[in-house]
Amino acid sequence: MWKRNLWPIQTFVIPHSHMDVGWVYTIQESMHAYAANVYTSVTEELSKAEDRRFIAVEQEFFRLWWDTAATDSHKRKVRQLVKEGRLEFIIGGQVMHDEAVTDLDDEILQMTEGHGFLYETFGVRPQFSWHVDPFGASATTPVLFALAGFDAHLISRIDYDLKDTMQKNKKLQFVWRGSPSLKEKQQIFTHVMDQFSYCTPSYVPFSNSSGFYWNGVALFPDPPKDGVYPNMSVPVTKETVHAYAKTMVENIKQRAAWFRTNHVLWPWGCDKQFYNSSVQFNNMDPLMKYINQNSKDFGVTVQYATLGEYFQAIHQSDLVWELRGSEDFLPYSTEPHQAWTGFYASRNVLKGVARRASAQLHAAETLFTRYRISFPDGPVAKDWALDKLRALRWAVSEVQHHDGITGTESPKVADMYLQHLLQAMMGVEELLAALFLLPHNLDQHVIVYNPLAWNTTTIINFTVTFPTAAVFDDDGQPVPAQIQRSAQSNATYDLFIVVELGGLQQRKYLIKFSEKECSGTLKCGWTYEAKGVLFERLNVRDWLKTGRRLLPVLNQCYKLMFDQDTNLLTLSIDRYRYKRRVRMTQDFWEYHANGDVKAGPISDNYIFSANGSAVRAYEAVAMEIIPGKIVTEIRQLFFREEGDQDYAFSITTRVPECFGSRLPCHRLEQTYSLGPLRLNTEVVLRTSSSLENNKTLYTDDNGYQMMKRTHRKFANNTVARNYFPMVRTAYIEDELSRLVLVSDRAHGVSSQADGQLEVMLHRRLWNNLAWNLGYNLTLNDSSVVRPTLWMMLGSVSATAGLYQREAIELQHRPVKEPKERSPLRSVVLPPNLHLLSLSIPGWNYSSNHSVHLSNDMRSEPDYDRVLLRIMHLFEEGEDPELSKPVTINLKDVLRGIGEVKVLEERSLTGTRDITSLQRWKWKTADNLETSENDLSCGGDAFTVTISPKEIRTFFVHFASRNF
């Protein structure tokens, strides 16, 4: 404390504007109303005074301004300001991504796209994060930022009661070891913003206006023609300067009491600020001058600063920092009745399309990369192809925004995201069609491409209009298949085909259709025509006795029992590897939300506030079973009222029949249909089992790592505060067994009772809160949603080796194209490694930083540099074999693509040479030396060792042509 008395508090005033890439207004509306003005006016104002600073965060807005609005004069000034360090790019991603419901692949993508643009254009590489607005903080994010070469991480939104405790104990800064496997290798210094968060305090006691926001409030759709915005603050004059200074200093001192050093981060700005920055700086300049002239009396000095200058000062303080392990800051609550756990399930359709677009992008990237290497002068125009890929990269990146994939935006903004995604997906469909050449005869040729670097045997399905089909492979041999009447329509049929594919390999299948049913096995090939068995529709009120009439559905892994007294799945047994009998039921329940703010807490886009316990969402159940030789399908229809003609919910469970023992039998594939929901209901799939999990569950952080979620009791809102995000995986377990679900999109998940796993699938809400009505954020979502979950049940050890791969296989299912082209050689990685990326980024820059800085920026795209990422899927100690480090020779692994000539290891986003990356060291109690530059290479330049949970990134150059 003696330092604080001897030295004044050093205040770093950081000018910034928080600009949501879609929220209430579309990106186009925001650009027109204020966002373009931010960069135009800030560029001009920074150029007028050397001490002024600004941090630029969301690259989508900056790039739009740079490409469409900035003049040559603005661009020259920006380059100079960046060179001088007075305009600092923070995070550098396309958006400030959400941390709860985003997938690892997409977080990396959006950051890579932004970093590539910044490095190509300015030669800069962001070093710091500014994650001020995501609704909770994942432990994966600091790991990714460390892998990208960041030196410090900043977050803000964490549980209100936890933040209060950390403030009082001066624990808002720590070194975070986000991965339990990588530990100190990828630790990062983390700063949690205090209770004022990222906005300047808007209250000043002598004014009814907006405090330190002299430029007022942004106007939509058009800025005022006279340049005068409403709610302008009282100007800083000789008469008001002391009152402003007193208010500012009091706030600075209040903040200083919560931190260990004499340095205070004072964010100056908030949402949609600095579009009229001359007014801002012309008021703050004299105010800061006045405080510094009277610093002895105030005990405070102030200076404009970038975030980097603040962190540099903290780093130089040379303190020993506390450690935080791999726990995250989820879920997030702002007060007892405001648990921000509803957005885990808001806008299910958008969440699903975003993930589907991401999977399509991954497949197209790998295919185009292979095409470029094999046919550099082929007929598919490289610039056209890159344009198609970039459009989808940017659409997928954009929707990762913390008011995008979260579902917390207005309906017109959700429509904008969907339009951008679907339009870009159509463009990539055109690219895929060009990469798969056109067919040459009338029979349907289907190309099936495996986008994963693993061999796979799986079932693919098509909706067709003919009742009979025979399927043959590219050698003319019959392929196991099954055809049956579709669940969606009586006029169509579902065709299931067993496909065997090598890693990154495609195969051609010929489908011959007929309008007549088969009369003999030769004509049908190996196609089985499955017929359904309908069961009586049963009313819940008639369920007097259950479990008397159990109908078994068996495969080599499970014995599923369907109760003919209820039409529900009642129990499951893993038959061969595992003899334990596990009781299980599965059905739909719903929470009823309050819509009147005068009656109590409400639910909305963000918040889940359970108005009592969940109740059964249906009164009757119908069932149909279609026994098959490829797959047995169970269709359960749930009717909201006994007399309803149309079902409200359904579960379609596909049980693979392990044809020839080649199919994986351990996963049960379930697809659901929900909606339209009744207003103010939130519907969950409840799986109740005999597992003794003590209401403890495990959910994933961004598909990267599993987090233990222990049930906690609260004075208020216990149900909602025990919901957690499930991006790919959730499971419950006891000493013997584990029940796993993997998903094709994000959901909310909880364990509200012993043995229970509850997934929130859909929400439809309306309330009369003025703020929600004014911004149209009540989530009156009347859509029908059709998410997919795969379920596995077995011993803890057996499922530990499966669920990571299953989650990835669900995300990256084979791509089906009705076209034809020559086969590709397979590329196969060991089972514990995943090919995270194989793409041609197109950025044009030298791998040598000094050479890059001396060259002209942003010239023609580079089509020869391939970006490769490989990830180890397992944690240390998770599996006796699969958790071991893996040594591979990348030249051998990639031989099926082409001859590798050059291999360079890079940081996560590719902009840094890993051999010269020197991240800041931070002192900790255990004083472990970090070893992020330990490359674990083998005896030659192409052999690498990948340790548990490592993600290693490379630039690969192939020989000019693959002969």
Side-chain angles (χ1 to χ4, degrees), residues 26 32 51 203 211 264 269 323 333 335 351 359 384 421 435 463 560 571 612 616 724-725 760 835 839 861 903 953:
T26 67
H32 177 68
D51 62 333
Y203 171 73
V264 169
L323 284 167
S333 294
E335 55 185 74
K351 286 175 165 67
W384 174 80
L421 286 165
L435 294 173
T463 299
L560 305 180
L571 61 118
R616 198 186 307 273
F724 299 89
M760 187 178 288
L835 184 72
S839 66
L903 186 72
T953 304

Side-chain angles (χ1 to χ4, degrees), residues 2 148 291 304 361 367 375 400 513 565 599 650 722 744 899:
W2 64 271
I291 292 173
Y304 289 127
L361 176 63
L367 261 175
F375 309 105
Q400 307 311 316
F513 293 109
D565 294 316
S650 72
N722 279 289
D744 71 338
E899 183 185 354

Side-chain angles (χ1 to χ4, degrees), residues 619-888:
E619 290 187 358
V621 190
M623 180 170 67
E624 180 182 13
I625 296 181
I626 302 101
K629 291 186 177 180
I630 301 296
V631 61
T632 291
E633 189 169 271
I634 301 100
R635 301 171 181 171
Q636 295 166 285
L637 309 179
F638 296 79
F639 296 84
R640 193 177 278 124
E641 307 284 350
E642 286 184 9
D644 286 354
Q645 293 298 309
D646 296 324
Y647 60 88
F649 318 106
S650 72
I651 305 175
T652 300
T653 304
R654 289 173 178 166
V655 184
E657 292 300 316
C658 310
F659 194 96
S661 300
R662 292 173 296 183
L663 276 175
C665 63
H666 48 259
R667 70 180 180 226
L668 303 172
E669 302 184 5
Q670 293 192 315
T671 301
Y672 314 88
S673 174
L674 301 91
L677 304 187
R678 287 174 169 170
L679 201 57
N680 284 330
T681 57
E682 304 174 74
V683 177
V684 301
L685 173 76
R686 181 176 282 181
T687 304
S688 302
S689 75
S690 56
L691 300 187
E692 297 173 357
N693 73 315
N694 195 29
K695 296 195 282 190
T696 297
L697 79 156
Y698 296 78
T699 75
D700 66 316
D701 264 11
N702 313 108
Y704 178 68
Q705 55 191 347
M706 299 303 295
M707 313 299 289
K708 185 177 182 179
R709 311 297 193 183
T710 304
H711 191 277
R712 294 192 296 161
K713 287 186 178 179
F714 298 93
N716 299 289
N717 218 17
T718 292
V719 170
R721 293 188 76 174
N722 279 289
Y723 254 82
F724 299 89
M726 169 194 184
V727 177
R728 291 185 188 171
T729 311
Y731 61 75
I732 58 173
E733 65 182 20
D734 57 17
E735 291 183 358
L736 295 174
S737 309
R738 180 183 285 171
L739 172 66
V740 184
L741 296 178
V742 298
S743 64
D744 71 338
R745 67 197 70 183
H747 305 287
V749 64
S750 187
S751 182
Q752 298 285 347
D754 197 30
Q756 201 175 88
L757 188 55
E758 182 174 289
V759 183
M760 187 178 288
L761 294 177
H762 199 13
R763 317 173 74 220
R764 184 180 183 185
L765 304 164
W766 185 91
N767 63 74
N768 58 6
L769 182 66
W771 191 82
N772 280 339
L773 291 175
Y775 286 138
N776 201 2
L777 297 174
T778 61
L779 199 66
N780 189 0
D781 184 352
S782 60
S783 61
V784 176
V785 304
R786 294 185 174 87
T788 295
L789 295 174
W790 289 356
M791 179 166 60
M792 288 166 284
L793 177 66
S795 67
V796 172
S797 59
T799 55
L802 290 172
Y803 73 85
Q804 295 97 329
R805 284 175 62 102
E806 290 296 312
I808 290 169
E809 287 186 10
L810 173 54
Q811 168 97 348
H812 297 292
R813 285 169 278 190
V815 175
K816 301 167 291 188
E817 282 288 327
K819 307 295 178 186
E820 176 186 355
R821 67 159 293 187
S822 55
L824 296 171
R825 294 168 66 187
S826 63
V827 176
V828 182
L829 286 172
N832 46 5
L833 298 185
H834 170 43
L835 184 72
L836 202 62
S837 308
L838 182 72
S839 66
I840 296 175
W843 319 315
N844 194 309
Y845 57 76
S846 170
S847 300
N848 183 300
H849 185 56
S850 300
V851 173
H852 173 62
L853 292 180
S854 65
N855 291 340
D856 290 335
M857 307 291 186
R858 295 199 79 182
S859 52
E860 286 301 305
D862 181 346
Y863 293 95
D864 297 320
R865 175 188 281 122
V866 173
L867 177 67
L868 168 74
R869 290 191 189 95
I870 296 178
M871 174 181 169
H872 196 302
L873 291 177
F874 288 82
E875 298 280 5
E876 273 186 356
E878 188 174 12
D879 184 274
E881 288 301 318
L882 295 171
S883 290
K884 291 178 179 177
V886 187
T887 300
I888 56 174

Side-chain angles (χ1 to χ4, degrees), residues 278-378:
S278 62
V279 180
Q280 291 284 80
F281 283 111
N282 289 338
N283 279 278
M284 184 59 89
D285 285 354
L287 173 57
M288 290 174 59
K289 183 178 180 182
Y290 180 83
I291 292 173
N292 287 333
Q293 286 173 339
N294 297 279
S295 61
K296 288 186 178 179
D297 295 330
F298 286 129
V300 165
T301 64
V302 291
Q303 67 189 71
Y304 289 127
T306 61
L307 183 62
E309 288 171 319
Y310 169 75
F311 276 132
Q312 185 79 47
I314 298 297
H315 185 242
Q316 290 172 351
S317 68
D318 211 30
L319 294 179
V320 176
W321 300 99
E322 287 198 1
L323 284 167
R324 183 176 183 85
S326 58
E327 63 269 31
D328 60 13
F329 292 94
L330 291 164
Y332 164 61
S333 294
T334 46
E335 55 185 74
H337 289 286
Q338 292 197 347
W340 293 45
T341 57
F343 77 89
Y344 302 158
S346 295
R347 298 204 189 283
N348 183 283
V349 170
L350 178 63
K351 286 175 165 67
V353 172
R355 284 277 282 278
R356 197 163 72 244
S358 173
Q360 186 200 45
L361 176 63
H362 175 85
E365 297 275 22
T366 56
L367 261 175
F368 177 62
T369 301
R370 299 202 67 169
Y371 180 86
R372 272 290 304 160
I373 295 164
S374 299
F375 309 105
D377 300 316

Side-chain angles (χ1 to χ4, degrees), residues 180-195:
S181 293
L182 300 180
K183 303 184 183 70
E184 73 280 356
K185 289 183 180 180
Q186 300 300 341
Q187 68 185 20
I188 194 168
F189 178 81
T190 303
H191 172 106
V192 182
M193 281 187 152
D194 56 52
Q195 68 187 38

Side-chain angles (χ1 to χ4, degrees), residues 465-469 493 512-518 523:
T465 55
F466 294 95
T468 300
Y493 300 85
K512 295 187 175 182
F513 293 109
S514 172
E515 293 187 8
K516 297 179 181 178
E517 294 191 3
C518 287
K523 184 178 178 183

